Amino acid sequence: MSYFRDVLQAMHAPCQQQTQLQSEALDRTLPTGVRHGLLLHNFRCKGCSAYVKHLRRLQTLCGLVGRQSIEQGEAMPPKIRERLQTLDAQRSQQ
Amino acid sequence: MPSESSQATTQASTTVARLLQEHGDVLWRFVLARTRSQTVAEDVVQETLLAALKAASTFSGQSTERTWLLGIANHKVSDHFRKTTRRGEQSIDADGADAGAFLASQRVFAENGHWRRSGLPAALDVKELAGGAGLRREELLAMLRACLDALPANLGEVVWLRDVMGIAPEEVCKQLGLSATNMWTRAHRARAALRNCIQERDADSIPSST
């Protein structure tokens, strides 16, 4: 019974609430009924259907920003590395 | 023969040197990407290493050492923004999340909670989703970086760990001391604010469908 209740609730929830659930779906596995309700809602709602795609693209692009920053970013300048090592050495002597 | 305290100090120093050796560059790149300032990044990396040293005994080993360090660094960057910029002075709601940037993104909804005709997100080009032309993608990335910079500290810290660094949700909760529900709420608000920011900056790429 809770499956059908979840389907109906998710399907008829306002779009604003759908966007929260769609974001949550990126961070956790939603109950099956809720997932199916969202799919049915998106099937007939252009706005929410586009929003899901925007979210996925956003996450892909965020991942690219991360990869570019970490893989292609500049290494720690030797001057700064030296300073941090010196500070650490000074702290050890105190 | 060295005293117990000097032995402990030497051990700690070795740890900082090792952390710097093994994770220094990644830590640096991450902090620099978030702060865009070498001076600030230097301070934050130093604070991160010292904080890691103090918290070493609490490191459970459930996450990798790098993830643990990035979590500390992320927290230090947010502290910096809270202290020094307007990004930390936004209105905080009952969930502890910034209300302003998120509320702006909710103007696309009518009072009944459904999309306003003028707020409908546009359909996306599937080819663009799959990678797109290099120039277009670079433009989008530049816009996204600017929008990430504009996020309030308490939303930025979630999206940086979760979506930019790809850290698992459970680990993000642990690093930021948030409940799962709170993390989902903040992630939703951050993503909605980011989407809205990109839409506003790039009205041509995500046009209104009306």
Side-chain angles (χ1 to χ4, degrees):
Chain A
M1 281 306 280
S2 72
Y3 169 79
F4 291 108
R5 194 192 54 217
D6 284 351
V7 171
L8 288 171
Q9 274 182 357
M11 189 169 73
H12 294 297
C15 299
Q16 196 167 13
Q17 206 177 318
Q18 300 275 336
T19 59
Q20 167 132 21
L21 287 169
Q22 284 160 357
S23 170
E24 280 185 33
L26 300 176
D27 302 315
R28 67 171 177 131
T29 307
L30 296 173
T32 313
V34 176
R35 280 205 318 272
H36 292 172
L38 285 180
L39 281 173
L40 288 169
H41 177 95
N42 290 350
F43 187 68
R44 61 189 182 128
C45 177
K46 277 187 187 171
C48 288
S49 153
Y51 190 86
V52 177
K53 289 175 185 162
H54 284 197
L55 274 189
R56 289 185 189 144
R57 178 169 69 162
L58 197 59
Q59 208 177 33
T60 306
L61 288 171
C62 280
L64 274 173
V65 167
R67 278 198 291 283
Q68 281 189 352
S69 306
I70 301 302
E71 287 164 16
Q72 295 162 28
E74 55 184 273
M76 186 184 288
K79 243 181 2 191
I80 292 179
R81 188 181 287 273
E82 253 172 54
R83 269 207 298 271
L84 287 171
Q85 280 166 341
T86 309
L87 279 172
D88 182 42
Q90 285 170 350
R91 191 191 52 78
S92 311
Q93 283 168 359
Q94 282 168 3
Chain B
M1 194 170 167
S3 67
E4 249 178 57
S5 67
S6 79
Q7 270 180 334
T9 313
T10 310
Q11 199 176 15
S13 169
T14 309
T15 308
V16 166
R18 185 182 61 76
L19 292 178
L20 204 51
Q21 175 71 30
E22 291 179 13
H23 309 293
D25 283 338
V26 169
L27 212 51
W28 173 257
R29 287 168 180 153
F30 173 73
V31 175
L32 192 60
R34 283 212 63 190
T35 62
R36 309 283 187 108
S37 153
Q38 285 210 347
T39 315
V40 175
E42 183 177 349
D43 288 345
V44 171
V45 169
Q46 190 188 339
E47 284 174 24
T48 302
L49 292 171
L50 292 177
L53 201 63
K54 278 185 195 161
S57 59
T58 63
F59 175 55
S60 62
Q62 283 177 338
S63 56
T64 64
E65 193 172 60
R66 183 163 291 180
T67 302
W68 174 65
L69 278 173
L70 288 175
I72 298 174
N74 194 45
H75 197 69
K76 294 287 174 196
V77 171
S78 297
D79 280 351
H80 164 76
F81 286 139
R82 284 188 193 103
K83 279 182 215 159
T84 59
T85 73
R86 288 188 65 242
R87 273 196 258 179
E89 297 167 5
Q90 313 282 335
S91 54
I92 306 296
D93 68 8
D95 293 321
D98 176 81
F102 171 67
L103 285 178
S105 74
Q106 299 301 291
R107 290 186 199 126
V108 291
F109 296 108
E111 278 176 17
N112 63 5
H114 291 288
W115 298 99
R116 288 182 197 281
R117 283 188 68 77
S118 59
L120 277 171
L124 287 172
D125 181 346
V126 177
K127 282 181 192 161
E128 195 187 329
L129 272 173
L135 186 64
R136 181 71 193 122
R137 201 177 67 174
E138 287 310 311
E139 276 175 36
L140 277 171
L141 287 175
M143 256 191 291
L144 179 57
R145 282 197 200 94
C147 290
L148 280 166
D149 285 349
L151 277 180
N154 55 6
L155 297 186
E157 63 186 6
V158 172
V159 90
W160 265 94
L161 285 185
R162 178 72 192 109
D163 292 343
V164 179
M165 302 307 293
I167 293 173
E170 304 75 28
E171 191 57 36
V172 175
C173 290
K174 206 184 303 170
Q175 297 292 345
L176 298 177
L178 298 174
S179 68
T181 312
N182 209 264
M183 196 281 276
W184 297 331
T185 302
R186 288 199 195 188
H188 160 58
R189 291 179 176 206
R191 288 165 185 152
L194 275 181
R195 199 196 75 86
N196 190 55
C197 173
I198 292 178
Q199 184 161 320
E200 279 179 359
R201 282 170 186 256
D202 189 27
D204 293 335
S205 81
I206 312 179
S208 157
S209 5
T210 52

